[in-house]
Each structure stands twice: as C-alpha cells, then as structure tokens.
Amino acid sequence: MMRTNEHKVMRDPIHGYIHVDLQVVWDCINAAEMQRLRRIHQLGGDFQIYHTAEHSRFGHSLGVYEIVRRMVNEVVELHAQLSEYEKTLAMLAGLLHDIGHGPFSHAFESIGIWKHERYTLEIILQDSEVHRILKKAHPDLPKDVADVIANTYANPLINQLISGQLDADRMDYLLRDAYFTGTSYGKFDLERIIRTMRIVNQKITVKESGIHSVEDYIMARYHMYWQVYLHPVARSYEGLLTMAFQRMKDLYRIGDETLSKLEMFHPFLKDEPADIDALYRLDEAAALYGFSLASRGGDPILRDLTRRILHRDLFEYASVHDQNEVEQIREKVKALSLHPDYYVFCDSAMQRPYSPYKRNEAGHNIWICTAQKELRELSEVSDIVHAVCQEKMKEDKKVYFPKEVL
Ligand code: ZN
C-alpha cells in the first residue's frame, strides 16, 4: 500500500489527533461522497435538545478509522496476525462504514426504499469516486471493504473491529456524542480498553485487569441510550420529519403541484429505490432548503409541518399503554380540524445496554480472558453487568400530538 508523502494529522477533540499515512485512506477522506458527510449531522434530532450536538458523520467516521488504526497497530496479536492488506482493509471499512447515510438518518429512511446500510454498499461497489479510489489501490478492495461492513468478510476478526459488542464504531460514537452533547454519561477509558485488548481463539477479548473500563463502557451505553439517543424530544423532532416526508409521498402519488419545486426529494418519493447520485445531492442543506420552500408552498398540511420543523414547534408527547388512548388523541386532533394521519404518531423505544448471546459466536459477546487464557463471558465475571442483564427489557411507548390538543 502506497504511503502519503508526509504523515498527515487532523486535530480531533476525542482522539487528540487522527493520523493518516496511507494514500488510499487520504484519497478516500477527500472523495466527494466522504466530504458530503460534513453536511449530515451525526445525531439525527438530538441537536434540538442538546444545542451543541452539531457534529457531523464526517468527524465520527474519522474517529472510527482512528480507533481501528490504533487497534491494528497497538493490540499485539492484531499487529502480528493481520497482513498489511488486512490492516488497511479494516481501517478503510471503519472510515467508510457510514458513507450511505441520508439527511436526518432514521426519519429520512422512512421515505426511501433502501436503508443507509444498502446505500453504503452501493457507493462502495458502484461507480463512485470512493469506488474508483479503492479499486485503483487494490482491485479486491471495493468488494472486501463492502464485505467487512456487511459483517461477511472471511476473517471474522476484522469484522469484529467494525461490528461487534466492543467495536470501534460504538466506542467512537459514545465518546463523541457524549462530548458534543455536553453530557457526562458516555465517558469511559478507551486507552485502557485498547491496552488490555487481547486476541484469543480469533476473538477480541479484554484482560481481567481491563474489566472496570469495560463495565464503564456498558454503563455509558445504558445512559446514552436513554438520555440522548432515545430522548423523547429527539423522537418528537424525528417523528415530525417522518410526517412531513409521508405527506410529500402522498402528494407525489396524486401528482400535486406543490411538489414541483421540491425536486431534491422526488427520487425518494417513487416506488423504486433512488440511485446513489440522488442520495449524494440530498444532504441536510438541500433538505432544509426544501422544507423552507414547502413552508411557503401550496399544501396547508406540508406548509404547517415544515414550519414546525424549521421553528422547532415540536409535538407534545405522552406515554401510552393501549390503543384506546391513541384513539382518544386522534379524536381530539380531528376536533381541531387537523388530519390525524399527519398530526398523531406513535413510537416505541426498547433498549438493553448489553445482552449476551448464549451462542459462542465471535462478536456477539464481550469476552474477558483470564491469566490462564480462559474465556469468560462478561456478565459471568462482572456483578454490575450481571445486574444490568437481569433487568427487564425496558420499553417506552409514546404518542406525539400538537400541543393545541392539551
Ligand atoms: Zn457509525
């Protein structure tokens, strides 16, 4: 693999510096599809609650790359067992794993046919700038990078670095999202985890002496899920986006004039998947411009929903236990002359920070290795994690509606 003519560094608040000395990595960072991620927020609707959570998918992608780069160089067995090609492959998969994200991630996915995982693979495998860079560096790279991201690459050790229970993706987003939201929940000792990582029987494991930092990591997941990722206000904002997209889809189906100016959305409103060019053009800047046009457009429902998005006039929410409660709210919404299909929505959040699989598969469990090189699943050796696993799966069902209903 060709080296860059000088060692490149980029400052990063989580890792200090991101280090690059491979030309293919540097070229991928500078590719159009990667630069587009600067225009996609990392946390869909969370900047509506945590006003500093303005960080992008671009920064997170660099962070995942950096953690993988450190693992393949600093974890002794990884350094010894992986070839130069495989190390580069793992770093590239870390860098490119989120390249197919659309604007406002999950809300946006409700309108298109393909999810971001599918777009990620399409961008890597089809004729894109990233694809050409990978192919030029090594003809097998596009296929192999796509396989690692899809968790199907022949060497499971490499797959685990990107998607396992203790992978570079989660470790970066927990630390980064905690930093940019300003919360103190998501912190854990990444240095210590990397230092105590060992490879035993083709599995990523952590030495017994590293167990406390892994416990912190599990607790970070627990708190970040409920305080940040599943925050009801973020869900309210994302639901509003989903309703606006749904309205557009319904208007598109009947050929409504209102949508003639909103070309950026058209490919995603059709009954066939939009291509990677359409995805490239629809970043958050384009989507917000579309909302701005729609808020002055001809359809009263779309006009109101997009105004609410732009002005943060979010829906209220309440916990629900049965469908009757939802019906009552729909009736109240109708009484206000609002259309309940666009002004009432429900969602349900469920999360457990770590649930070990009974199967002995790599990547599904967190393994602790004893001094005798015996592997024990984390919840068997940690009382704290054991207690977390015993907890009932927490479910949070909510209904959202305009505040005028109250
Ligand atoms: Zn990610």
Side-chain angles (χ1 to χ4, degrees):
M1 288 290 161
M2 212 167 93
R3 305 267 146 190
T4 48
N5 53 9
E6 56 174 2
H7 182 98
K8 315 266 189 196
V9 287
M10 283 165 280
R11 256 197 207 285
D12 182 84
I14 307 307
H15 305 297
Y17 284 105
I18 311 281
H19 298 258
V20 180
D21 64 0
L22 288 166
Q23 192 62 41
V24 61
V25 170
W26 187 245
D27 290 345
C28 280
I29 291 172
N30 291 309
E33 297 87 9
M34 193 66 205
Q35 290 295 316
R36 171 182 170 275
L37 296 186
R38 291 181 187 268
R39 307 189 291 275
I40 306 281
H41 275 107
Q42 165 70 5
L43 290 175
D46 277 283
F47 66 100
Q48 297 292 333
I49 309 138
Y50 300 99
H51 65 267
T52 53
E54 292 279 352
H55 56 305
S56 70
R57 289 263 162 208
F58 181 76
H60 162 64
S61 302
L62 290 181
V64 177
Y65 152 81
E66 177 62 16
I67 296 180
V68 175
R69 189 194 67 78
R70 290 195 53 195
M71 290 204 241
V72 298
N73 285 304
E74 293 171 33
V75 178
V76 178
E77 298 94 348
L78 281 179
H79 187 69
Q81 287 175 23
L82 300 182
S83 66
E84 275 311 303
Y85 175 80
E86 286 177 317
K87 283 178 194 153
T88 308
L89 169 63
M91 289 187 258
L92 287 165
L95 181 70
L96 301 172
H97 78 286
D98 272 345
I99 204 160
H101 266 276
F104 314 107
S105 310
H106 303 292
F108 167 74
E109 291 193 336
S110 62
I111 53 163
I113 291 171
W114 287 348
K115 304 279 174 236
H116 71 266
E117 290 90 349
R118 175 68 186 268
Y119 278 114
T120 296
L121 301 181
E122 295 289 327
I123 292 168
I124 292 167
L125 295 169
Q126 282 187 27
D127 187 29
S128 66
E129 210 176 312
V130 158
H131 173 85
R132 288 191 291 273
I133 292 164
L134 293 174
K135 202 170 164 187
K136 197 177 135 208
H138 192 293
D140 294 341
L141 264 179
K143 165 97 172 64
D144 287 347
V145 170
D147 284 351
V148 174
I149 294 173
N151 211 352
T152 55
Y153 184 66
N155 183 350
L157 202 47
I158 297 181
N159 300 337
Q160 286 171 72
L161 296 175
I162 313 298
S163 37
Q165 283 292 338
L166 198 61
D167 63 33
D169 183 21
R170 274 191 242 228
M171 290 201 278
D172 184 80
Y173 74 62
L174 287 172
L175 292 171
R176 191 169 299 277
D177 297 343
Y179 177 88
F180 282 102
T181 51
T183 63
S184 55
Y185 319 111
K187 307 215 171 89
F188 59 91
D189 192 348
L190 174 66
E191 292 301 312
R192 181 92 191 130
I193 292 182
I194 294 179
R195 281 183 78 81
T196 51
M197 252 183 197
R198 297 290 180 272
I199 307 302
V200 182
N201 307 337
Q202 290 294 94
K203 289 193 184 88
I204 294 179
T205 75
V206 174
K207 268 170 62 176
E208 267 175 319
S209 59
I211 199 164
H212 304 291
S213 42
V214 179
E215 286 174 343
D216 258 2
Y217 161 80
I218 296 291
M219 293 319 289
R221 267 161 74 165
Y222 181 78
H223 291 299
M224 285 298 280
Y225 270 100
W226 290 110
Q227 298 295 328
V228 178
Y229 304 129
L230 301 176
H231 195 295
V233 177
R235 283 153 60 190
S236 173
Y237 179 78
E238 282 161 17
L240 204 46
L241 290 165
T242 306
M243 293 291 103
F245 287 137
Q246 189 54 52
R247 182 64 184 165
M248 282 187 220
K249 213 167 182 172
D250 295 343
L251 291 172
Y252 189 80
R253 204 167 289 138
I254 57 168
D256 193 283
E257 261 298 286
T258 311
L259 287 179
S260 60
K261 281 187 184 157
L262 306 179
E263 286 155 349
M264 64 290 269
F265 298 118
H266 289 184
F268 299 91
L269 303 173
K270 295 179 177 162
D271 293 327
E272 60 203 54
D275 62 19
I276 57 172
D277 263 352
L279 182 80
Y280 177 77
R281 287 194 302 274
L282 189 63
D283 54 23
E284 283 175 13
L288 287 166
Y289 177 59
F291 296 157
S292 169
L293 291 174
S295 72
R296 288 170 272 135
D299 177 63
I301 294 178
L302 188 59
R303 209 163 55 215
D304 182 55
L305 292 172
T306 48
R307 176 197 61 78
R308 286 171 183 272
I309 293 167
L310 295 169
H311 295 189
R312 196 186 182 276
D313 183 5
L314 304 183
F315 284 5
E316 288 293 323
Y317 52 86
S319 293
V320 275
H321 310 94
D322 60 59
Q323 197 52 33
N324 276 342
E325 293 169 306
V326 179
E327 275 314 313
Q328 283 171 15
I329 288 172
R330 284 178 67 94
E331 287 308 317
K332 285 185 187 170
V333 162
K334 272 190 227 166
L336 290 166
S337 309
L338 296 173
H339 196 315
D341 288 355
Y342 306 109
Y343 283 87
V344 182
F345 57 87
C346 295
D347 78 354
S348 158
M350 257 213 262
Q351 183 58 33
R352 191 181 263 164
Y354 170 64
S355 29
Y357 283 67
K358 294 292 164 244
R359 283 174 302 156
N360 197 14
E361 237 169 72
H364 283 308
N365 291 327
I366 297 181
W367 297 100
I368 301 298
C369 85
T370 65
Q372 293 75 38
K373 290 259 186 278
E374 278 166 3
L375 295 190
R376 311 273 303 275
E377 187 276 314
L378 176 65
S379 66
E380 287 173 15
V381 275
S382 160
D383 290 340
I384 296 174
V385 176
H386 183 74
V388 168
C389 295
Q390 293 302 305
E391 202 189 318
K392 265 209 345 244
M393 184 73 96
K394 211 165 132 189
E395 197 183 2
D396 180 30
K397 263 192 176 160
K398 286 201 158 44
V399 58
Y400 303 80
F401 45 83
K403 56 177 172 286
E404 295 86 316
V405 167
L406 292 172

